[in-house]
Amino acid sequence: MFFRMIRGAFVRQKGKMAMIALTIALGASLATAMLNVMLDVGDKVNQELKTYGANITVVPKQDAVLEDLYEIEGGDTAAYLREGELGRIKTIFWAFNIVDFSPFLTASAELDGGETVPLVGTWFHHHLETPAGEALDTGVQNLRSWWDITEGEWLDEQAPQSGNAVMLGASLAQRIGAAAGDTLRIRTRNGTEKLTVLGVYEGGGEEDDQIYAPLHLVQRLSGLEGKVSRVEVSALTTPDNELAEKAAKDPSSLTASQYETWYCTAYVSSICYQIQEVITDSIASPVRQVADSEGAILEKTELLMILITILSLAGSALGISNLVTASVMERGAEIGLLKAIGAQDGAVTALVLSEVLLTGLFGAVAGYFAGFGFAQIIGQTVFGSAIDMKPMVIPLVAALVTVVTLAGSVPAVGMLVRLHPAEVLHGR
């Protein structure tokens, strides 16, 4: 009898039930889309932000101490990192979170006109075999992806013609009247060298007044074979919390369980700590402007999606409330008759809620698949990649839809309980 009454309600009020299902489907679809994107957005937002440069800098420990104590750059000291150890960066616990890295070595070069400019040695497109057996290509071509090559092309150390090739900053090239294809003569502590300008770049900072050259060339001209002055690392990180901030100040202050949690989470401080473990006499520190911005952007993005989800579900609850209340009013005579023949308020309430929840089930299933489709549209439009389906979204959406459906039915249930059979059956 109970199921026959439910079936009868669907047949007699199919229009209202369809509207309730549609209302729930709209709320469920938006909730599904936002939750899937929110749970998958962290790495994608981080990946997008990687195009704006490194978020970790590694320098010799001696240079870091001088800078901390005396607020001076340690570039004139005899402290350097070993180029041969850089592959170890890809052997740390969070190796797969290391997107790119590149070493730098800066020397002074005097041009023919007497002007002294920085000569920066680095990897441009460097093929590296790591101790873990992994092969990768890394360098400033990825790390400085925002550079605009105004003339010529990117330098590639693997190309045969790259031996004495360099790239000039746009401001320096304009000042000295040099262009791609020109020959540039410089003087360093080890003598005079002729360089070929392969390209001119515009970076928008102090690098526009510098010469960028292959690392091995600057090492040879400086007499510092196998040495680098700093390494810039671009890594995917998790926004800092209280544990990460405590660990950044003093990892030894953590308990064993806190240390394990911190070490096994991709906080920028834990990645820095692991890099220091594999690079001899080094200090790895986050570029706070970049790291903090990444965390702030990610938190605000997630908060926005949560607010959209809450507002969409609230709108669905209001819609359900109106529709279910209207349904109860239309069925006043039927409900009054049920009460008159002995049905208790609990039984009648269970009947109405069962009808609404069953309708909500159909709406939630349709809304889930529609929402996952919306998530793919968002992923392709904003991030240029698909959004992964997160299994945990299914129970979350089911729970949210149930809560919203029940909350929207509260006014109708209140009206149902207050309904008096005698008044309804007498037309009052």
Side-chain angles (χ1 to χ4, degrees), residues 253-264:
S253 65
L254 303 179
T255 64
S257 61
Q258 287 177 331
Y259 179 86
E260 183 177 359
T261 300
W262 168 72
Y263 194 90
C264 296

Side-chain angles (χ1 to χ4, degrees), residues 100-104 119-127 137-144 147 149 153-158 162 165-168 198-199 201 211-218:
D100 282 299
F101 63 94
S102 185
F104 295 87
L119 177 65
V120 182
T122 188
W123 293 345
F124 289 87
H125 185 70
H126 185 77
H127 185 75
D137 293 314
T138 186
V140 294
Q141 188 168 346
N142 294 325
L143 210 58
R144 301 281 196 273
W147 279 8
I149 307 301
E153 59 186 2
W154 275 103
L155 196 154
D156 186 350
E157 299 97 318
Q158 301 175 55
S162 67
V166 297
M167 298 185 70
L168 294 186
L198 189 63
Y201 62 85
I211 303 173
Y212 270 69
L215 180 61
H216 63 82
L217 174 62
V218 179

Side-chain angles (χ1 to χ4, degrees), residues 33-50:
M34 292 298 101
L35 288 172
N36 272 297
V37 173
M38 185 180 70
L39 292 173
D40 195 50
V41 76
D43 286 347
K44 286 180 169 56
V45 169
N46 268 320
Q47 192 69 52
E48 288 291 318
L49 291 172
K50 293 306 108 188

Side-chain angles (χ1 to χ4, degrees), residues 74-265:
D76 294 331
T77 69
Y80 297 96
L81 302 173
R82 302 169 189 172
E83 182 185 4
E85 293 185 349
L86 300 188
R88 297 180 185 176
I89 293 175
K90 289 291 286 183
T91 65
I92 65 172
F93 182 84
W94 287 106
F96 289 108
N97 282 50
I98 304 297
V99 179
D100 282 299
F101 63 94
S102 185
F104 295 87
L105 178 65
T106 303
S108 294
E110 184 181 343
L111 304 177
D112 280 344
E115 181 180 359
T116 300
V117 297
L119 177 65
V120 182
T122 188
W123 293 345
F124 289 87
H125 185 70
H126 185 77
H127 185 75
L128 180 67
E129 298 284 343
T130 71
E134 179 186 359
L136 71 151
D137 293 314
T138 186
V140 294
Q141 188 168 346
N142 294 325
L143 210 58
R144 301 281 196 273
S145 58
W146 69 88
W147 279 8
D148 181 23
I149 307 301
T150 58
E151 293 184 42
E153 59 186 2
W154 275 103
L155 196 154
D156 186 350
E157 299 97 318
Q158 301 175 55
Q161 73 274 19
S162 67
N164 273 32
V166 297
M167 298 185 70
L168 294 186
S171 298
L172 176 60
Q174 183 178 14
R175 194 164 60 248
I176 65 176
D182 290 352
T183 298
L184 193 67
R185 189 169 63 178
I186 63 170
R187 283 180 291 278
T188 65
R189 66 173 66 179
N190 284 4
T192 302
E193 192 80 18
K194 287 186 177 181
L195 307 175
T196 301
V197 179
L198 189 63
V200 176
Y201 62 85
E202 186 172 358
E206 63 180 12
E207 63 269 19
D208 288 351
D209 289 301
Q210 298 174 346
I211 303 173
Y212 270 69
L215 180 61
H216 63 82
L217 174 62
V218 179
Q219 288 173 335
R220 176 173 61 81
L221 295 177
S222 305
L224 296 171
E225 284 80 359
K227 297 179 180 179
V228 300
S229 55
R230 77 180 192 280
V231 182
E232 293 184 7
V233 181
S234 179
L236 299 175
T237 61
T238 298
D240 281 355
N241 57 13
E242 187 177 345
L243 174 62
E245 292 171 357
K246 181 180 179 181
K249 295 176 182 176
D250 183 13
S252 62
S253 65
L254 303 179
T255 64
S257 61
Q258 287 177 331
Y259 179 86
E260 183 177 359
T261 300
W262 168 72
Y263 194 90
C264 296
T265 306

Side-chain angles (χ1 to χ4, degrees), residues 32 35-36 39 364-365 368-369 389-401:
T32 299
L35 288 172
N36 272 297
L39 292 173
V365 172
Y368 176 81
F369 289 104
M389 180 180 286
K390 303 296 182 182
M392 68 178 297
V393 171
I394 297 175
L396 277 175
V397 170
L400 289 171
V401 166

